[in-house]
Amino acid sequence: MTTSAPVATPDITRQLAKFAVEARWEDLPEPARAAARRTFGNAVALMVGSSRHPAVAAILGALDGLGMPAQASVLGRAERLGVVWAPLVNGVAAHVEDFDDTHLPTVVHPGAAVVPAALALGEWRGASGEDVLCAVAVGVEVALRVGLGLTPAHFDQGWHLTGTAGHVGAAAAAGRMLGLGVNELQTALALGATQAAGLTAALGTMVKSFHPGKAAADGVEAALLAQRGFTSAPTMIEGRRGLAAVASPAAEPDLMVDELGSRWELEANAFKPYACGIVSHAIIDAAIELREQATAEEIESVELTVHPVVLDVMGVLNPAAGLEAKFSAPHCFAVGLLDGTAGLEQYTDARVGAADAQALRARVRIKLDPAVAKGAAVAQVTTADGRRLHAEVPHATGSAERPMTDAQLRAKASALVEPILGEGSVDLIDLAFAADALDDLDALTAAARPTGTSG
Amino acid sequence: MTTSAPVATPDITRQLAKFAVEARWEDLPEPARAAARRTFGNAVALMVGSSRHPAVAAILGALDGLGMPAQASVLGRAERLGVVWAPLVNGVAAHVEDFDDTHLPTVVHPGAAVVPAALALGEWRGASGEDVLCAVAVGVEVALRVGLGLTPAHFDQGWHLTGTAGHVGAAAAAGRMLGLGVNELQTALALGATQAAGLTAALGTMVKSFHPGKAAADGVEAALLAQRGFTSAPTMIEGRRGLAAVASPAAEPDLMVDELGSRWELEANAFKPYACGIVSHAIIDAAIELREQATAEEIESVELTVHPVVLDVMGVLNPAAGLEAKFSAPHCFAVGLLDGTAGLEQYTDARVGAADAQALRARVRIKLDPAVAKGAAVAQVTTADGRRLHAEVPHATGSAERPMTDAQLRAKASALVEPILGEGSVDLIDLAFAADALDDLDALTAAARPTGTSG
């Protein structure tokens, strides 16, 4: 038996279940409530924005012959699916563009696994927005706590925490939405833990986004089973041959419950402003700053000084397709300067192939300097008329030091939603970022449906 | 990064996919075909026999509100469910009594994960029995091969291989049933691999049987997604941060494809004659042998000589309930002698509490001797009239050295099925053990439905 260090706290699954059952929205600290609202709104916007992605189309195609009842909405589309299936599709959509939230200490993307579970059950049961947001808060917190206890060794071993910890978090949110008691919710967490899976070999493929989608769907299923009398062992997370011992060579399960309920990891959930690898975000910030001073036509050359890790990840110098461009530092700079943003539109095949982007990318040189911080960038621009421009970004937008403001996050959400919903997008953004005020989710799911379609 | 030794064979997922696509029933060696028939028939009988189990009832209760289309049968019941859901229920039923098949080198119980996937898709698509049996053969072989490559280190770490390797095997069987090409089947295997999960902390609970149920359901889903264009990385089993590297500290992935298609691990799939822990099976054989020579009333004392491991596992001397009795060597001897068998009926609360079983258990003493083989037993009986009787069983029925005969396996199946189906059970057994001769599965699923109900 390979096992981790002995567990000092023997009832972690139980404590997490009690926390999930007993949390009350009005007792959450305001920063935690705000983080839950932002996590929900950001996830909703991504679901709508990615609702035409081929991964979403593949799943809907597969489900098409299965005689699905209309219980829960696929956001951004006319389809409504069974309450276990809608979370699968919405979870894939929320994550597939790598544009969602990130809890940096664990590298969990909690929104994609947790929000779809709470959303589907909330819609199905006519729950209030406050109940849904509280379930999101609880589910995210459980996912992050489980992640903290498993990682970094768990990640280093090759596990995708959004799939593993996400399974437990989604089960917590779903159990909360069904109003389970502590025993039943403990079983739901056990079912989540025993299904915790997701290999990082899947990174860069559709399967990466399948992990949170499946976590969300399995979480709903786990809560339904627990509600109907399915039973489990009580210590599936912390026990002998439980999740911590089996899936992490150096777990610290006590971190899962340390100050649980008083300190909220949820508050550290961060949001990506740009739809590409996080290490190039400072480059995009620098480009956006420089576009005030020079147009692309005026620029003769660009020198970006970054930490060597940036080129490891973002080293595609002349990308041929949209997905490649997400890993291209020159393209990131080019769209930042040309378009003033770096959303989904900036990483389409068409945008990557456009003449202006190609021309500007060709003028970018990258200089590596280990003295520059990993999340920082320095840009030097020389113009044709001999000016030398300079931008220095020590911390990128969306970093812990410089979180996205509410206005920035809503602008990101609007840009995601508008191509799908057109004029109706304003309504959806207003509803999604203040969802705790809603009597039920009907107005929100209706607003997320494209004009001319009906559920 | 913690990783296993380098992989000598780089295209294992691909090779398994090619094997699954290209296998032809008529080209299988006859022992492999026979093993597929036995695996299928045994699993069908267990599904029917356990169709009233509380774990099955809990799942059906949870699914009840989900507006399920009637696509695939729950064996032994009137319910028909969606093609992804029937495998969940049937997989749980096949495994929940710990009475199914076992591939001893890997401790995989392949039938419970693989047969429900092939069965549901076969029924849904009107496939021939031969196609279904070939999918079972292929899926079992893939599950066992993946298990061989991961274990023993994978099991020692705390993974339940029926859940982990079972996921990949079920995806292979399902992909085969859908007629996928090699690329698509490779994606199905990848989706199975990235969902490989199941903690042995669940042993002794309903969740243990949830593992193969979910493997079967996820396998069907994986094949449906792959068919509709979902894509993955090509080396999810053998690649960097793939299943072998992530989930086993000492994987030997080459074993997954060594002589694949010419040597069939399927042929080593063994069947349990008795519904209890395998280390007491020799005790039951000895008791059955002795019942020819003495009735329980005549017996004054029993001395069982066994390896110490037997008492570790089977050390409940005076069980109070059916589940405990599965781990009681004295109870196993008692029912063997009293009833001449040890099926589900022998491990009910009522049978455990019956006066004759209690009385005989009280007369059993256990003597430990490390010189006796783990799978063996020696029984010494002294009768009230002074006779000394002796039975020595070096290899239990169902062991590799003494596999169950077809007649024994059919008798086991009949005993499982009769309490549910009554007179109709003969038809089902005949169909289930020669399923490759069927034009489609309609007659079989109809025969598995209790009289007076309809699908």
Side-chain angles (χ1 to χ4, degrees):
Chain A
M1 255 316 271
T2 309
T3 50
S4 302
V7 174
T9 310
D11 58 350
I12 287 171
T13 312
R14 183 80 181 171
Q15 285 191 50
L16 290 171
K18 272 177 67 78
F19 162 75
V21 168
E22 292 170 3
R24 291 155 46 102
W25 180 248
E26 61 268 32
D27 295 339
L28 264 61
E30 177 51 31
R33 286 202 295 259
R37 287 185 201 105
R38 286 157 58 96
T39 299
F40 184 83
N42 182 65
V44 163
L46 281 156
M47 291 174 205
V48 174
S50 298
S51 59
R52 300 294 177 277
H53 193 281
V56 170
I59 300 180
L60 289 171
L63 300 181
D64 192 38
L66 301 189
M68 197 63 60
Q71 295 172 328
S73 297
V74 177
L75 298 195
R77 305 188 62 110
E79 285 94 341
R80 300 180 76 232
L81 303 177
V83 73
V84 178
W85 295 108
L88 174 62
V89 183
N90 285 328
V92 167
H95 192 55
V96 70
E97 292 284 2
D98 276 319
F99 195 17
D100 45 339
D101 50 349
T102 309
H103 179 253
L104 292 164
T106 57
V107 207
V108 172
H109 306 286
V114 172
V115 172
L119 184 70
L121 287 171
E123 180 181 358
W124 188 44
R125 293 172 60 95
S128 72
E130 191 175 298
D131 283 351
V132 173
L133 270 277
C134 192
V136 167
V138 157
V140 168
E141 188 66 18
V142 168
L144 302 182
R145 291 308 193 116
V146 170
L148 275 182
L150 295 176
T151 223
H154 181 64
F155 177 82
D156 291 345
Q157 200 166 17
W159 294 109
H160 184 209
L161 276 92
T162 302
T164 59
H167 260 91
V168 189
R176 168 86 193 189
M177 285 308 303
L178 290 181
L180 299 187
V182 176
N183 288 342
E184 291 73 26
L185 206 140
Q186 192 171 357
T187 297
L189 297 182
L191 284 166
T194 207
Q195 296 184 82
L199 303 166
T200 49
L203 267 54
T205 78
M206 286 186 188
V207 175
K208 179 171 187 247
S209 65
F210 183 73
H211 296 160
K214 204 56 195 288
D218 286 344
V220 171
E221 185 186 88
L224 289 167
L225 285 174
Q227 185 182 41
R228 290 308 187 109
F230 215 79
T231 53
S232 179
T235 58
M236 289 287 287
I237 295 174
E238 72 279 15
R240 180 164 176 264
R241 297 179 184 168
L243 180 63
V246 174
S248 177
E252 296 187 65
D254 290 349
L255 295 179
M256 297 181 187
V257 293
D258 179 47
E259 300 183 86
L260 182 66
S262 55
R263 181 173 57 77
W264 287 77
E265 284 295 325
L266 162 63
E267 295 175 17
N269 199 24
F271 300 90
K272 269 192 181 180
Y274 310 126
C276 60
I278 207 162
V279 292
S280 66
H281 288 193
I283 293 171
I284 298 165
D285 281 342
I288 292 172
E289 192 179 323
L290 288 165
R291 77 194 299 259
E292 308 292 323
Q293 303 168 49
T295 63
E297 291 75 22
E298 296 168 344
I299 291 177
E300 192 175 78
S301 70
V302 181
E303 184 184 86
L304 303 175
T305 307
V306 291
H307 187 276
V309 78
V310 176
L311 205 64
D312 277 356
V313 178
M314 306 297 294
V316 181
L317 299 182
N318 192 22
L323 195 59
E324 271 191 327
K326 286 177 180 271
F327 303 96
S328 167
H331 185 74
C332 289
F333 182 87
V335 293
L337 195 128
L338 287 163
D339 300 349
T341 187
L344 299 190
E345 286 296 308
Q346 279 66 47
Y347 297 95
T348 60
D349 291 354
R351 190 74 194 96
V352 171
D356 61 347
Q358 288 199 39
L360 186 50
R361 286 200 303 264
R363 278 170 262 155
V364 175
R365 270 195 327 126
I366 297 181
K367 190 174 146 189
L368 301 181
D369 182 353
V372 177
K374 286 177 191 171
V378 180
Q380 294 276 3
V381 165
T382 306
T383 61
D385 59 3
R387 285 180 290 151
R388 293 182 60 89
L389 311 174
H390 179 91
E392 188 163 345
V393 178
H395 301 294
T397 307
S399 64
E401 295 81 1
R402 200 176 147 201
M404 287 184 83
T405 64
D406 284 348
Q408 286 173 325
L409 196 56
R410 287 173 65 107
K412 168 192 170 181
S414 294
L416 282 163
V417 165
E418 267 175 21
I420 309 295
L421 300 181
E423 287 177 6
S425 63
V426 177
D427 288 346
L428 178 64
I429 301 302
D430 284 344
L431 296 167
F433 281 93
D436 53 315
L438 301 174
D439 289 338
D440 59 46
L441 297 182
D442 290 352
L444 184 139
T445 54
R449 220 164 276 139
T451 320
T453 69
S454 69
Chain B
M1 258 312 273
T2 309
T3 50
S4 303
V7 175
T9 309
D11 58 349
I12 287 171
T13 311
R14 183 79 181 172
Q15 285 192 50
L16 290 170
K18 271 177 69 77
F19 162 74
V21 167
E22 293 170 3
R24 290 156 47 101
W25 180 249
E26 61 268 33
D27 296 339
L28 263 62
E30 177 51 30
R33 285 202 296 258
R37 286 184 201 107
R38 285 156 61 98
T39 299
F40 183 84
N42 182 64
V44 164
L46 281 156
M47 292 174 204
V48 174
S50 298
S51 59
R52 301 295 179 275
H53 193 281
V56 170
I59 301 180
L60 289 172
L63 299 181
D64 192 37
L66 301 189
M68 198 62 60
Q71 295 172 326
S73 297
V74 177
L75 298 196
R77 304 188 63 110
E79 285 94 340
R80 300 180 75 232
L81 303 177
V83 73
V84 178
W85 295 107
L88 174 62
V89 182
N90 285 328
V92 167
H95 192 54
V96 72
E97 294 283 2
D98 276 319
F99 196 18
D100 45 340
D101 50 350
T102 310
H103 178 253
L104 292 164
T106 56
V107 207
V108 172
H109 306 287
V114 172
V115 172
L119 184 69
L121 287 171
E123 180 180 359
W124 188 44
R125 293 172 59 94
S128 72
E130 190 175 300
D131 283 350
V132 172
L133 269 277
C134 192
V136 167
V138 158
V140 168
E141 188 66 20
V142 168
L144 301 183
R145 291 306 192 118
V146 169
L148 275 182
L150 296 176
T151 223
H154 180 65
F155 177 83
D156 290 344
Q157 198 166 16
W159 294 109
H160 184 210
L161 276 92
T162 302
T164 58
H167 259 91
V168 189
R176 169 86 194 190
M177 284 309 302
L178 291 180
L180 299 186
V182 176
N183 288 341
E184 292 72 27
L185 206 141
Q186 192 171 356
T187 297
L189 297 181
L191 285 166
T194 205
Q195 296 184 81
L199 304 166
T200 49
L203 267 55
T205 79
M206 285 185 188
V207 175
K208 180 172 187 245
S209 64
F210 183 73
H211 296 161
K214 205 55 195 290
D218 286 344
V220 171
E221 185 186 89
L224 288 167
L225 286 173
Q227 185 182 41
R228 290 309 187 110
F230 215 78
T231 54
S232 177
T235 58
M236 289 288 286
I237 295 174
E238 72 279 15
R240 179 164 177 265
R241 297 177 185 169
L243 180 63
V246 174
S248 177
E252 296 187 66
D254 289 350
L255 295 179
M256 297 180 187
V257 292
D258 179 48
E259 299 184 86
L260 182 65
S262 55
R263 181 173 57 77
W264 287 77
E265 283 295 325
L266 161 63
E267 295 175 17
N269 198 25
F271 300 90
K272 269 191 181 181
Y274 309 127
C276 60
I278 206 161
V279 292
S280 66
H281 287 192
I283 293 171
I284 298 165
D285 280 342
I288 293 172
E289 192 179 323
L290 289 165
R291 76 195 298 258
E292 308 293 321
Q293 303 169 49
T295 65
E297 291 74 23
E298 296 168 344
I299 292 176
E300 191 174 80
S301 70
V302 180
E303 183 183 87
L304 302 176
T305 307
V306 291
H307 187 277
V309 78
V310 176
L311 205 64
D312 278 355
V313 179
M314 305 297 294
V316 181
L317 298 182
N318 193 22
L323 195 58
E324 272 191 326
K326 286 177 181 272
F327 303 96
S328 167
H331 184 74
C332 289
F333 182 87
V335 294
L337 194 125
L338 287 163
D339 301 349
T341 187
L344 299 188
E345 286 296 307
Q346 279 67 46
Y347 297 96
T348 60
D349 292 353
R351 190 73 195 95
V352 171
D356 60 347
Q358 288 198 39
L360 186 49
R361 287 200 302 264
R363 278 171 262 154
V364 174
R365 271 195 326 124
I366 297 181
K367 189 173 146 191
L368 301 181
D369 181 354
V372 176
K374 287 177 191 172
V378 180
Q380 293 276 4
V381 164
T382 307
T383 61
D385 60 4
R387 285 180 291 151
R388 293 183 60 88
L389 312 174
H390 178 90
E392 188 164 345
V393 178
H395 302 293
T397 306
S399 64
E401 294 81 1
R402 198 176 147 202
M404 287 184 82
T405 63
D406 284 348
Q408 286 172 327
L409 196 58
R410 288 172 64 107
K412 168 192 170 181
S414 294
L416 282 163
V417 165
E418 266 174 23
I420 310 294
L421 300 181
E423 288 178 7
S425 61
V426 178
D427 287 346
L428 178 63
I429 301 302
D430 284 344
L431 295 168
F433 281 93
D436 52 314
L438 301 174
D439 288 337
D440 59 46
L441 298 181
D442 290 351
L444 184 139
T445 55
R449 218 164 277 140
T451 320
T453 69
S454 68

